[in-house]
Amino acid sequence: MNQRPVLQFSGNQTLSNGAYMALKIGELLLKAQLIDQNQLDKALEEQKQSGGRVGEHLVGLGFVSEEDVLDCLSQQYGVPSINLRHFDIDESIIRLIPADVARKYQFTPVSKTGATLTVAMSDPTNVFAMDDITFITGYRVEPVVASEEALREAIDKYFGTTHAIELKRVMDDLSTVDETSLEILEDEEELDVADLEASADEAPVVRLVNLILTDALKRAASDIHIEPYEKSFRVRFRVDGVLYEIMNPPMKLKDAITSRIKILAKLDIAEKRLPQDGRIKLKMKFQGKPKELDYRVSTLPTLHGEKIVLRLLDKENLMLDMTKLGFEKASLKWFEEAIFSPYGMVLVTGPTGSGKTNTLYSAISRINTPETNIMTAEDPVEFQLMGINQVQMKESIGLNFASALRSFLRQDPNIVLVGEIRDFETAEIAIKAALTGHLVLSTLHTNDAPSTINRLMNMGIEPFLVATSVNLIVAQRLIRRICQNCKEPEDVPVQALLNVGFLEAEAPNIQLFKGRGCETCNQRGYKGRVGLYEVMKVSDDIRELILSGASAIELRRRAMEDGMVSLRESGLQKIRDGVTTIEEVVRETTL
């Protein structure tokens, strides 16, 4: 805890506490020459538009540091200041105050000495809050001043987020549920479907599943993993490509939660031995607006029960503007030229979850006009796009990519999108379509753009067919963006920059950034994702190499000479632009 500071003003003047109390924080900072009048006016304008305190807006605009504002507040109120981020508050102190009271008055207890409780507040003159704290705890209250942002972080940390409070309430309800009423027999032949349905409809189970589904939206999660193990049961969310453990529901609810999700997804709850796929559609109010949630559900029998993965398909998060995906200028120019070509094949490659679907949807949205007939074969159809004929694959009735492609060619298409080329038959039909006046877009699973050529030939496609049909190949990855709300400069040794691929001449001049961690990004330092793109244009020289049976290494060398930007170089450019960190680029790319 800081001693009361004395700010020095021009002319070596100091102000007494009484004088400080009569001044507002903006005037104090002006007198201390920490801001100028223009900066104060901008902060006041921000305050008019969005409310809050002037000091908070001055910090948010970068005009002063949080420490400067705290020092002024300390002098203004005549109480010490405290930086809560440097404190670990004892749990016994936290338990003295109910969470709803801490949230109501925006304060947190810090320490206890004898009959005195030290409490951090943003407004130490709030006598109503101090009277309530005294009444609840029986202690005399001694206030210290803290910043509003630090208080919000501390309250979430020690008293739990709104989600955590609701989860605790649900868990308390669950503890009263009779365990025997939820027990499911292990013997499949004796499985009582009525019991499963009854347990799945128990109010606490319904609330818990609803909480999981809606909380995934609030956290901007792309996937929910519900995983049973021998002695534990956990729920994880994938946020910006990284999995985080969210909760551990009681083991006794494993079958009830699984059944509830399967009922919502219209799956067979009695079938526990085979994988199943389904979909959940829900409506809810999010941030005051009606919103439709769409989850793709997949169940998989594991050693200790069914693992469920739900993918949240949020159309509002679908980025269809190709200029915002992360393409370098030259790469985007090549990509647009290829998708506006009247015929040929454009392939997008990368692992699952690398954003291939988003790139393809962006491409067909860009070329979707009333004059074109666009047909897609997808498994599954993730987003429904206006003006595009989308077909859902159904392997169980023989409707696969190959059979759909054959039908498409009798439907007078201009552009065909094939969800994935998985086998020789699909590849052969797609290439023939590309050679007979159609533009074909599709995906493959390969590590980089040049190795896609070899992958097609390994499927059994002749080199001359590959060389004449493929126009462009895009390899891509997704990496996390630095949170713009808590972005700050970072000092990194020059050698570390050289190790990741920066040139010796530029390395000393590169300014790196990182996210400090804030409420906006859930203390992670990252918010959102951006793509890395390796775009290989199949030039005449590369066609000749394909015909001569060149290796992926030779194809890469030629493509780089033609101007191809590698995945690593695309990542380095994002670092130069201050978009991401070295750790993210190294995690997803190789030299």
Side-chain angles (χ1 to χ4, degrees):
M1 202 176 298
N2 300 333
Q3 293 299 314
R4 188 180 306 170
V6 177
L7 293 182
Q8 295 296 322
F9 294 95
S10 57
N12 294 321
Q13 294 177 321
T14 60
L15 295 179
S16 68
N17 284 345
Y20 267 104
M21 290 298 288
L23 292 175
K24 294 180 179 177
I25 188 67
E27 294 169 354
L28 288 172
L29 291 166
L30 266 178
K31 284 185 176 292
Q33 296 183 346
L34 293 171
I35 60 170
D36 56 37
Q37 187 62 50
N38 186 42
Q39 290 172 327
L40 178 58
D41 291 342
K42 285 182 181 176
L44 289 168
E45 188 60 35
E46 287 269 330
Q47 186 190 35
K48 277 183 187 176
Q49 292 177 5
S50 56
R53 295 173 183 265
V54 174
E56 198 173 1
H57 289 296
L58 286 166
V59 173
L61 290 165
F63 296 150
V64 289
S65 69
E66 200 173 86
E67 287 73 20
D68 290 334
V69 174
L70 269 182
D71 286 347
C72 277
L73 287 171
S74 175
Q75 292 284 15
Q76 183 184 24
Y77 294 121
V79 299
S81 64
I82 183 173
N83 189 333
L84 287 171
R85 295 189 181 97
H86 297 164
F87 275 77
D88 276 327
I89 304 170
D90 191 88
E91 193 177 335
S92 62
I93 303 295
I94 294 296
R95 282 201 296 266
L96 293 172
I97 302 291
D100 57 338
V101 176
R103 289 185 178 281
K104 178 182 176 183
Y105 293 119
Q106 284 295 290
F107 75 89
T108 182
V110 177
S111 63
K112 178 171 69 73
T113 307
T116 301
L117 182 67
T118 303
V119 174
M121 314 171 73
S122 60
D123 180 7
T125 62
N126 189 338
V127 291
F128 298 108
M130 287 190 277
D131 285 348
D132 273 8
I133 299 166
T134 300
F135 179 77
I136 291 166
T137 63
Y139 290 97
R140 186 173 67 83
V141 176
E142 183 176 292
V144 294
V145 67
S147 72
E148 290 190 16
E149 186 179 350
L151 275 168
R152 280 195 294 269
E153 290 173 10
I155 290 167
D156 280 348
K157 177 180 177 182
Y158 295 111
F159 293 98
T161 59
T162 307
H163 157 77
I165 293 168
E166 173 65 11
L167 176 59
K168 184 178 183 303
R169 192 157 64 88
V170 171
M171 289 305 189
D172 288 343
D173 286 350
L174 294 175
S175 65
T176 65
V177 176
D178 179 13
E179 187 167 345
T180 57
S181 69
L182 298 172
E183 188 175 349
I184 305 302
L185 297 174
E186 293 300 324
D187 188 342
E188 298 292 343
E189 292 180 4
E190 297 181 43
L191 188 67
D192 190 336
V193 175
D195 283 351
L196 273 174
E197 290 176 341
S199 65
D201 287 335
E202 291 277 358
V205 175
V206 171
R207 284 174 54 204
L208 180 58
V209 171
N210 290 349
L211 183 67
I212 290 169
L213 296 179
T214 55
D215 194 50
L217 178 69
K218 291 173 187 173
R219 293 173 184 258
S222 59
D223 301 87
I224 304 168
H225 291 244
I226 299 173
E227 303 166 314
Y229 297 97
E230 185 179 7
K231 295 182 179 178
S232 65
F233 186 44
R234 72 176 177 181
V235 176
R236 294 191 292 171
F237 290 172
R238 188 178 292 281
V239 181
D240 291 337
V242 179
L243 279 169
Y244 298 95
E245 189 166 320
I246 302 300
M247 65 178 82
N248 296 95
M251 279 293 288
K252 64 185 180 182
L253 295 176
K254 180 180 73 174
D255 290 321
I257 290 171
T258 301
S259 298
R260 175 65 184 166
I261 293 171
K262 288 170 80 172
I263 288 169
L264 289 173
K266 297 180 175 60
L267 301 177
D268 182 357
I269 61 172
E271 179 54 79
K272 300 174 73 175
R273 300 161 299 175
L274 294 172
Q276 296 186 68
D277 294 300
R279 207 157 186 154
I280 297 174
K281 285 194 174 186
L282 300 171
K283 284 185 179 178
M284 67 170 287
K285 274 201 170 182
F286 181 61
Q287 296 176 346
K289 298 176 184 176
K291 190 173 181 71
E292 191 174 278
L293 303 187
D294 192 356
Y295 294 91
R296 195 175 84 205
V297 183
S298 170
T299 70
L300 181 72
T302 67
L303 196 59
H304 300 291
E306 289 177 281
K307 173 182 166 123
I308 299 178
V309 175
L310 301 96
R311 170 155 287 189
L312 176 55
L313 306 173
D314 189 354
K315 194 168 185 178
E316 289 179 17
N317 288 337
L318 184 65
M319 180 75 72
L320 297 178
D321 185 349
M322 288 197 298
T323 61
K324 295 178 181 176
L325 293 178
F327 279 101
E328 276 67 46
K329 282 186 179 178
S331 298
L332 180 59
K333 183 173 177 288
W334 284 355
F335 186 61
E336 288 186 326
E337 285 174 359
I339 63 174
F340 278 105
S341 174
Y343 55 85
M345 183 180 279
V346 176
L347 297 171
V348 181
T349 81
T352 302
S354 61
K356 299 188 298 294
T357 300
N358 203 139
T359 301
L360 288 175
Y361 278 3
S362 301
I364 58 176
S365 294
R366 181 86 169 81
I367 55 184
N368 183 18
T369 64
E371 296 80 35
T372 56
N373 178 20
I374 302 176
M375 310 200 70
T376 76
E378 303 173 62
D379 187 20
V381 175
E382 294 193 2
F383 299 99
Q384 297 173 32
L385 302 175
M386 187 66 185
I388 293 166
N389 305 288
Q390 296 171 272
V391 180
Q392 168 70 55
M393 298 299 95
K394 289 189 178 72
E395 288 280 354
S396 58
I397 59 171
L399 179 57
N400 54 29
F401 288 121
S403 61
L405 261 177
R406 286 195 196 92
S407 299
F408 284 2
L409 296 178
R410 295 191 288 273
Q411 289 277 321
D412 185 32
N414 300 104
I415 299 160
V416 173
L417 186 151
V418 186
E420 185 183 345
I421 294 177
R422 298 174 181 169
D423 50 44
F424 169 75
E425 190 179 14
T426 308
E428 184 182 42
I429 300 166
I431 282 176
K432 285 179 179 176
L435 292 172
T436 54
H438 305 91
L439 178 65
V440 178
L441 309 176
S442 190
T443 72
L444 268 89
H445 287 276
T446 60
N447 289 328
D448 57 17
S451 60
T452 306
I453 300 294
N454 298 93
R455 172 84 178 113
L456 286 171
M457 291 192 285
N458 289 340
M459 283 183 180
I461 305 298
E462 294 292 338
F464 76 92
L465 289 174
V466 176
T468 51
S469 62
V470 179
N471 290 346
L472 186 102
I473 302 169
V474 180
Q476 69 178 81
R477 300 290 188 277
L478 286 179
I479 56 170
R480 294 182 289 177
R481 290 178 182 268
I482 298 170
C483 174
Q484 293 301 302
N485 192 55
C486 60
K487 183 177 176 180
E488 62 184 19
E490 179 184 25
D491 292 326
V492 174
V494 172
Q495 188 57 49
L497 296 173
L498 297 175
N499 290 345
V500 297
F502 284 105
L503 298 175
E504 206 164 325
E506 66 170 333
N509 304 315
I510 292 174
Q511 175 62 67
L512 271 70
F513 295 89
K514 67 173 182 178
R516 183 182 66 251
C518 65
E519 195 174 342
T520 303
C521 60
N522 286 320
Q523 309 303 324
R524 294 181 185 122
Y526 296 98
K527 182 76 174 174
R529 288 193 287 178
V530 66
L532 303 183
Y533 294 91
E534 178 177 279
V535 180
M536 186 177 95
K537 187 177 182 181
V538 182
S539 63
D540 290 340
D541 289 340
I542 289 178
R543 292 187 204 280
E544 287 181 16
L545 287 173
I546 295 170
L547 290 169
S548 64
S551 66
I553 295 171
E554 292 172 296
L555 292 170
R556 168 172 287 279
R557 190 179 298 121
R558 179 67 252 185
M560 297 287 280
E561 289 171 5
D562 288 346
M564 181 181 82
V565 176
S566 68
L567 285 168
R568 173 56 65 93
E569 181 53 44
S570 179
L572 297 183
Q573 188 56 50
K574 302 295 187 299
I575 294 172
R576 291 186 191 100
D577 296 339
V579 173
T580 191
T581 61
I582 286 178
E583 291 78 12
E584 281 298 292
V585 172
V586 170
R587 184 168 63 87
E588 289 292 342
T589 66
T590 58
L591 275 171

